[in-house]
Structure formats: structure tokens, C-alpha cells
Amino acid sequence: MADTATSDKRSSLSPHSAETLTAHGENGGEQPRDGGLADGGEKGKANEPAKPVGFFDQSLRAVRLQVFGLWARTTLILAVFILAVLSMYWAVLFHVETNVSSLTVFVADFDAQVAPFTGVTPLVGPMITQTTEAILSMPEPHLGYITKQASDFQNDPLAVRQAIFDQKAWAAIIIMPNATAMLQQAVQQGNVSYDPIGACQVVYVQARDQETYSSYILPQLEVLQTQITAKFGQTWTSTVLGNTSIPRDTLQRVPQAMNPGIGFSQFNLRPFAPAVITPAVTVGLIYLIILSFFSFAFYIPIHMKFQTEPGHPPLKALHFVIWRWASTILAYFFLSLFYSLISLAFQIPFANPSAPGTEVANNPEPYGKGTFVVYWMINWVGMIALGLACENMAMLVGQPWTAMWLIFWVITNVSTSFYSLELAPKWYYWGYAWPLHNIVEATRSTLFDLHSRIGLNFGILFVWFAVNTALFPVCCWVMKWKHDREEEKKKKKQ
């Protein structure tokens, strides 16, 4: 009966009361639960965060040595990188003074070489050619003067201009066919309309490379002109005054024919203007590299939604690679458009007609109203050539090494694009095949109607496009392999 009463009493208890009763036992003795209070206290203590310790605490000895080793290795890598890569930017200008002679200047002597002036004994032409040839025997730096005869240009001074426009040389000094004849006529007849600067011409194309002209070519040509006019004026004045057959009143009417006697007219076939064009062919293009580089970081989280987003199966690997490639090219299409629109917004001319290479013209465009579209296509294909290389390297090397790649990519492109490779050591001639060099060259020829090699420029850019496209799937596989390996390491640690 007692056992039955006890059983009925247990059945009438709530679940909580029954659990409590079971925990205490029927004899009323208290039993420990979950291993006892002592065991629970040890677990709680183990889960508490470790207290911070000093830098030289003995418990940090192993990690301290590890950190020191990693710090030293990283510093060494960065130091070697600085010496190896940044030196490339300094070195491009290292032998400029020695290589100034590679900037060739034609000295085209037409004086008394073309009818009807062939019967005149030339004075101006021989004196100028002798002066420039004497300069070549002097210590450098000096321009590379090359004496040319009228027959080299089919006796046509305009053919010299065309040669300079076609980038056969950086500049030309043309001694006109009537240089001596007009000077002699002026002093003999007292021709007051005689203008000394009609004797010679200096021809160049500033838009080809405004920095090279302003820094190395034009200053030396100005010195040469001053030297020639001073020397010739002195000699010619003595000759004329020694000729007693010329009346003195005649000479007084034409003092300009006495001294300096001759001068130089300037013909800048393609001036570099307006100034707002400068970013489009120089530093502004650095941002094209940076934009194409950082687009990877912006777009990769979007692409990965196909693979990591819950609620759907992952995309096939081949389809994922095709999507990434196609969406990247399409993104560059729009990004390059808005980059190009900046030049349009700041009123860089894009609709002027073309002009002959022998005439001075301000901002002629070879494609007329279609020039902006061509400019945009140059930036688009250029961004692909620059950007796909960045995409591939970002997948291959990963963080933080992609920052080093960006520095390398910027320096190698800038040093071979914003400075004349004729002045650089020959080792830099690989720069002719680098993307930015061809973007700059194609952009200059488009915005200034220069001698065009745009077919070659686009061809080189498309080669970069094709090579990086072929490497793109391989780099995607490498990135996936590295990601999977990291995931396996995390699982092992758990």
C-alpha cells in the first residue's frame, strides 16, 4: 500500500517536480548534475578570454620569433621590389644627355640648288651646313644633325615638311632655294620689302611629344639660330661694306639685309593645344590603369553570388568563366565611354576637319565628326589590354601582392609612354609593345591628325587582348584551386 501511494504521488507531480525529485533521489539525498559544480567551474574558466600580456612575456616567445621572421622577410621582399621596379622609372632618363643625338634634325640645303637660282654662288646654305656639321664633332649633348641635299627631296622644300610630318626626323632646317639670291638682290637694289626670315625655315611637329620638344629640341635650335645669325651677320656685313660698287644710301635703306641678313621662320605643323588635352595623352591615362585594376575588387563579389549564394545550385565552371570574361569586357565598354566623355565635357575638339601634313593646322582630326568614336574605341581596347592583365594577375597572386603588381604595371607603362624612347637606354625598346605606349600614340594621332600608325597600335592592343583572354580560364582555375585549398585548411583546423 505504501508503494502504491508513493507511485500515485509521483504520477501527480508536474514534469518539473518529477525532474527535481529524480535529481534528489528517493532517499532525499542531493546528487550532483552535469558532472558536479566543480567540473562546471573548470569549464567556465576554460572559456574565459586570455588576459593580455606584455610584449616580452615568455608565453609569446614562439609567436614573437615567428612575427620577427615574417617582418624581416616582407621588408626584404619590398626592398628588393623597390630597387628592381622603381629603378625602372629613374633609369628611363639616365642616359638622356648621351642620347640627345638620337633626336635627328634634317639640315636640307636648297640654296642655289633649284632653278631659276642655280646660277648663283650659294653663301647661306654652305655656312649653315658647316656650322651644324661642326657641332657634331663637339662633346654631347647635341642634336643629331643630318645634312640633306635638295635631290633627297626631289628639289621640293614641301617634301621636307612631309618627311617631318611622317616622323622621319624630329625637326628640319630648310635653307630656301632663293636664300642667297634674295639677299644679294636686297643689298644691290635696296629692296625694302626684304625679310630675313624668308631665307630659312625651321619645321617641327610639337604634338608628337611636347615635352621632348620643349626640353631638348627647341632650346638647342634657338641657340643654333642665334649662333648662325650672329656669325653670318658679321661676315656678310664685312663683305658688303668691302664692295665699293654698292651705293651707301642703298645699304641704308635695307639695314635688315646687312645684319642679321638672314633669319628663320618657324613652322609648327601641329601645335600642342589646348592645354586641356594634356591629361588625355599623359597622366590621365594612369587612371585608366587604376580603374581597370580596381574593377576586379568591385565586381568579384558580384560574380561569386553565382557560386556561394545559398538557395540555388552553383553555376557550372565553364559558364562561370564565360560570364566573368564577357561581363568584364562589357564593363570596360561603359567605363571607357564615361572616361572618354570627360574629354568631351571639357571641350577637347573632336569634330574638326583633317589637314594636309605640310600645312600648319590647329587640332585637325583625321576622322572628322567620327573622331570621338575612334577615341572611345582606343580607350576601350586599351582598357581591355590593361585590365585583363590586371584581372589575371589578381587571380594568380592574390592579396597583398596585387598591390605590387599595380605598381609594376603603372611604372613600366608610364616610363615607356610619357617619355621619348629615343632618349631612353635601348633596353627600354620593349616599351614599343607595351599597351599604354600604343594608347598614347594612337590618341595623339587621333586628336592632332599626326602621322598615323593606328593599325599597328590596335594590332598590338588586340594581341594583349588575345593573350590575356587565353590565360583567363587558367587564372580562374588557379584562383579556385587556391580558394579550395584554403577551405580545406580551415576544416582541418576545426
Side-chain angles (χ1 to χ4, degrees):
M1 293 293 293
D3 291 339
T4 305
T6 303
S7 176
D8 293 342
K9 183 178 180 180
R10 283 185 177 180
S11 64
S12 65
L13 292 174
S14 66
H16 177 72
S17 302
E19 182 182 353
T20 304
L21 184 60
T22 303
H24 282 73
E26 291 184 6
N27 58 358
E30 186 174 341
Q31 301 293 330
R33 300 175 58 198
D34 299 330
L37 291 175
D39 188 42
E42 290 177 2
K43 284 191 175 182
K45 186 176 180 180
N47 292 331
E48 289 180 2
K51 292 182 179 180
V53 296
F55 186 82
F56 295 100
D57 191 276
Q58 186 63 23
S59 61
L60 295 181
R61 184 175 182 276
V63 72
R64 194 163 53 236
L65 292 175
Q66 182 186 20
V67 168
F68 287 163
L70 291 173
W71 178 89
R73 187 185 68 177
T74 303
T75 303
L76 178 62
I77 292 172
L78 292 176
V80 172
F81 177 82
I82 289 171
L83 291 175
V85 177
L86 271 66
S87 294
M88 297 173 66
Y89 187 75
W90 269 256
V92 74
L93 299 175
F94 186 56
H95 291 302
V96 165
E97 291 76 13
T98 305
N99 294 337
V100 166
S101 58
S102 64
L103 303 176
T104 54
V105 177
F106 289 161
V107 182
D109 183 11
F110 288 82
D111 191 15
Q113 303 297 315
V114 180
F117 308 103
T118 52
V120 178
T121 301
L123 300 174
V124 179
M127 185 273 217
I128 293 178
T129 56
Q130 290 170 10
T131 302
T132 55
E133 289 171 0
I135 290 175
L136 296 178
S137 62
M138 296 180 180
E140 296 177 337
H142 57 69
L143 298 173
Y145 296 104
I146 301 175
T147 302
K148 294 284 189 178
Q149 300 302 319
S151 58
D152 295 328
F153 301 100
Q154 295 78 46
N155 297 325
D156 183 6
L158 286 179
V160 183
R161 291 195 187 187
Q162 187 63 49
I164 301 306
F165 178 82
D166 292 338
Q167 301 182 6
K168 305 297 184 183
W170 284 84
I173 299 171
I174 306 174
I175 301 100
M176 300 305 290
N178 60 350
T180 298
M182 294 298 293
L183 177 62
Q184 291 177 341
Q185 185 185 53
V187 296
Q188 291 170 359
Q189 300 178 4
N191 183 6
V192 295
S193 63
Y194 174 74
D195 189 351
I197 66 172
C200 306
Q201 296 180 358
V202 175
V203 181
Y204 59 97
V205 182
Q206 184 191 20
R208 178 180 175 183
D209 187 342
Q210 73 281 3
E211 293 296 332
T212 299
Y213 279 105
S214 62
S215 299
Y216 308 107
I217 299 176
L218 295 181
Q220 291 206 34
L221 288 180
E222 290 172 3
V223 172
L224 176 64
Q225 293 170 51
T226 302
Q227 180 182 351
I228 288 173
T229 53
K231 182 179 179 181
F232 183 85
Q234 183 179 2
T235 304
W236 175 245
T237 300
S238 299
T239 302
V240 172
L241 291 177
N243 188 345
T244 57
S245 65
I246 303 175
R248 292 297 181 265
D249 58 342
T250 300
L251 296 179
Q252 290 175 357
R253 291 200 303 269
V254 285
Q256 73 277 18
M258 295 286 292
N259 196 353
I262 62 171
F264 297 82
S265 52
Q266 307 285 327
F267 290 88
N268 182 5
L269 301 179
R270 295 292 185 270
F272 185 85
V276 74
I277 291 182
T278 303
V281 295
T282 55
V283 293
L285 289 168
I286 296 176
Y287 302 113
L288 200 66
I289 302 176
I290 295 173
L291 281 172
S292 61
F293 174 82
F294 282 106
S295 65
F296 175 84
F298 282 104
Y299 286 109
I300 194 64
I302 300 174
H303 299 319
M304 293 307 294
K305 287 185 177 295
F306 281 118
Q307 304 297 96
T308 60
E309 194 79 7
H312 63 78
L315 191 63
K316 289 183 177 180
L318 177 61
H319 292 187
F320 181 69
V321 171
I322 293 173
W323 157 254
R324 277 202 57 204
W325 180 88
S327 63
T328 299
I329 301 303
L330 186 61
Y332 291 159
F333 180 81
F334 291 107
L335 293 175
S336 62
L337 170 61
F338 284 94
Y339 172 85
S340 304
L341 286 174
I342 296 174
S343 296
L344 186 64
F346 284 91
Q347 301 180 12
I348 290 178
F350 281 108
N352 293 338
S354 182
T358 56
E359 295 181 4
V360 175
N362 290 310
N363 298 114
E365 271 93 31
Y367 310 106
K369 294 182 178 180
T371 299
F372 177 78
V373 176
V374 177
Y375 173 67
W376 173 21
M377 292 299 101
I378 293 171
N379 290 327
W380 180 37
V381 179
M383 197 171 187
I384 293 172
L386 293 166
L388 282 183
C390 292
E391 289 270 335
N392 288 340
M393 290 303 297
M395 289 187 287
L396 283 177
V397 301
Q399 294 293 343
W401 309 109
T402 50
M404 298 175 70
W405 158 257
L406 176 61
I407 295 172
F408 167 82
W409 199 225
V410 169
I411 286 178
T412 55
N413 276 282
V414 167
S415 60
T416 56
S417 304
F418 298 167
Y419 302 99
S420 173
L421 290 180
E422 285 88 341
L423 295 174
K426 291 184 178 180
W427 182 80
Y428 282 89
Y429 283 8
W430 49 263
Y432 287 110
W434 237 233
L436 197 63
H437 179 88
N438 289 277
I439 296 171
V440 170
E441 189 173 273
T443 302
R444 285 183 182 272
S445 67
T446 300
L447 296 182
F448 295 104
D449 193 15
L450 301 181
H451 174 69
S452 179
R453 297 193 299 176
I454 196 168
L456 175 64
N457 300 140
F458 268 115
I460 292 174
L461 293 175
F462 275 118
V463 168
W464 280 93
F465 184 4
V467 171
N468 281 297
T469 296
L471 294 174
F472 192 82
V474 178
C475 296
C476 287
W477 179 85
V478 170
M479 184 179 72
K480 183 179 184 302
W481 174 78
K482 290 167 64 177
H483 177 268
D484 293 343
R485 188 177 64 171
E486 289 297 322
E487 290 296 319
E488 288 179 5
K489 287 182 179 180
K490 290 180 181 179
K491 290 179 180 178
K492 289 180 180 179
K493 288 181 179 180
Q494 291 175 356

